[in-house]
Amino acid sequence: MAATNEDTIATRICRILAERIVTGELEPGTKLRQDHIAEEFGTSHVPVREAFRRLEAQGLAVSEPRRGVRVATFSLEAVREVAEMRAALEVLALRHAAPHLTPSILDQAEEATVEADRARDVRSWEEANRRFHRLLLTPCGMPRLLAAIDDLHAVSARFLFATWRSDWEVRPDHDHRAILAFLRQGRTENAAAVLERHVQRIGQKPAKNASGGAFAIVG
Amino acid sequence: MAATNEDTIATRICRILAERIVTGELEPGTKLRQDHIAEEFGTSHVPVREAFRRLEAQGLAVSEPRRGVRVATFSLEAVREVAEMRAALEVLALRHAAPHLTPSILDQAEEATVEADRARDVRSWEEANRRFHRLLLTPCGMPRLLAAIDDLHAVSARFLFATWRSDWEVRPDHDHRAILAFLRQGRTENAAAVLERHVQRIGQKPAKNASGGAFAIVG
DNA sequence: TCCGCCGAAATTATAGATAATATTGGAATC
DNA sequence: GATTCCAATATTATCTATAATTTCGGCGGA
């Protein structure tokens, strides 16, 4: 059994809606109508409302009382804000995780990097990239910090998918490799510095891919 | 009319419960029973459940599916974690806010410091302290960052109230004054450095007040 | 005396129904 | 022809009721 037994209905609805918002299937500003969603999932609207509250907390939806819930919009400024928050928090997490990083973990992170470089589409690149970050940060043992970073990752991924809808080009990720190299040498501060720059690249204008007003998102 | 017209019932319940949890009126681990709370507020349990979801997101309550919601417990480790997150995020906010700080704002922050030094009880000290931080950080213009800091502040305040239940001694806050002095000179990085140390004092053992296993919380 | 089992009570989670509010379209007026 | 007002509609926020799950007490057996 894998898909059927999700803890609570609200949890499942929240997860699925979050995925739709992040991947761009639900566009910014779209109205989320509780009765329609309830009907789609074959439930009443009560769990739907609970799911809304969670999406709101994650910054994926905004709710105006008596006027409904909408998919959150995002500006270039919001992208930068999230990038800076991620940079600050991931550096903090890495500093605490570094002492607990084993060669095995670093090897797995390297595998994730290789997989990201081989990715043929945004979706699989994002998954590998996220795995890389998670592998390095989880050993910090700070659950609240990790949860906050996860939420920011979701928002970042949203920007990522919005920018690179279909055209995705493979680029080897030098930052990831540099971070791993420093960590293998025990040079945590150097690794943290690279990570900080790396994450802040989110929201920067692309170097060459200047078609339209699109902006590049990595990290 | 001030108290009657709160946007939505769920919002009001959430705010009041949050206050009770933060001040310690509701102790860690206490079961939050939706029907009882609904009865107290004269509503059904549906808005209560929505309030629970928000409290959960703020880290003030934890919910186990089908087993109810409890006031979140906190360990010394959790205190340190929140302190470090606050340090990282407040430094980030201060760096962005610094260019927009006016003499008027700095004067108001100084007033808040004076007021904190004069505070006769924890409650009013906390309020003045929070105002100090908010005044300096709000001009950064990063709403998501400020919201995250606010949530962390609430959790910090919880630890604060839990530690200093009744015995509160006045101590002039040198850190706040140093931060203001640096900001007046335009030395943002020095101010940020002091702020970082300052916030991280949360969760450190007290210097002299070593009665029982209590730990000091400031910030 | 201690352990496990069973049943009643309490509590959560969901469904269906109702009241209040916002939105939309059209008609009347300027 | 444009604008404002009003009624019909759609949607949200809430309440009441029902089903399912957990907890807690006592009871019997080892």
Side-chain angles (χ1 to χ4, degrees), chain B residues 158-201:
Chain B
R158 223 187 136 199
F159 304 145
L160 180 75
F161 290 138
T163 309
W164 308 94
R165 281 247 149 164
S166 54
D167 52 330
W168 176 252
E169 56 183 68
V170 184
R171 293 166 307 167
D173 198 319
H174 300 299
D175 284 346
H176 281 193
R177 294 203 155 76
I179 291 169
L180 286 175
F182 280 130
L183 287 176
R184 286 214 167 87
Q185 300 169 36
R187 294 160 70 180
T188 306
E189 279 315 307
N190 296 81
V194 176
L195 178 65
E196 186 168 7
R197 272 194 295 112
H198 172 68
V199 173
Q200 282 187 343
R201 294 237 172 84

Side-chain angles (χ1 to χ4, degrees), chain B residues 93-189:
Chain B
L94 184 61
R95 288 209 179 100
H96 284 268
H100 307 107
L101 289 175
T102 63
S104 157
I105 295 175
L106 293 173
D107 287 347
Q108 289 175 60
E110 179 140 19
E111 269 177 48
T113 302
V114 172
E115 202 171 310
D117 289 347
R118 272 205 295 256
R120 305 289 293 272
D121 54 81
V122 209
R123 195 84 185 254
S124 46
W125 181 87
E126 199 275 332
E127 197 211 310
N129 180 64
R130 179 180 296 221
R131 196 162 69 248
F132 173 85
H133 286 260
R134 239 199 273 254
L135 276 164
L136 295 187
L137 303 182
T138 302
C140 75
M142 298 162 86
R144 179 164 190 144
L145 175 59
L146 289 172
I149 291 174
D150 261 6
D151 279 357
L152 294 173
H153 259 280
V155 178
S156 294
R158 223 187 136 199
F159 304 145
L160 180 75
F161 290 138
T163 309
W164 308 94
R165 281 247 149 164
S166 54
D167 52 330
W168 176 252
E169 56 183 68
V170 184
R171 293 166 307 167
D173 198 319
H174 300 299
D175 284 346
H176 281 193
R177 294 203 155 76
I179 291 169
L180 286 175
F182 280 130
L183 287 176
R184 286 214 167 87
Q185 300 169 36
R187 294 160 70 180
T188 306
E189 279 315 307

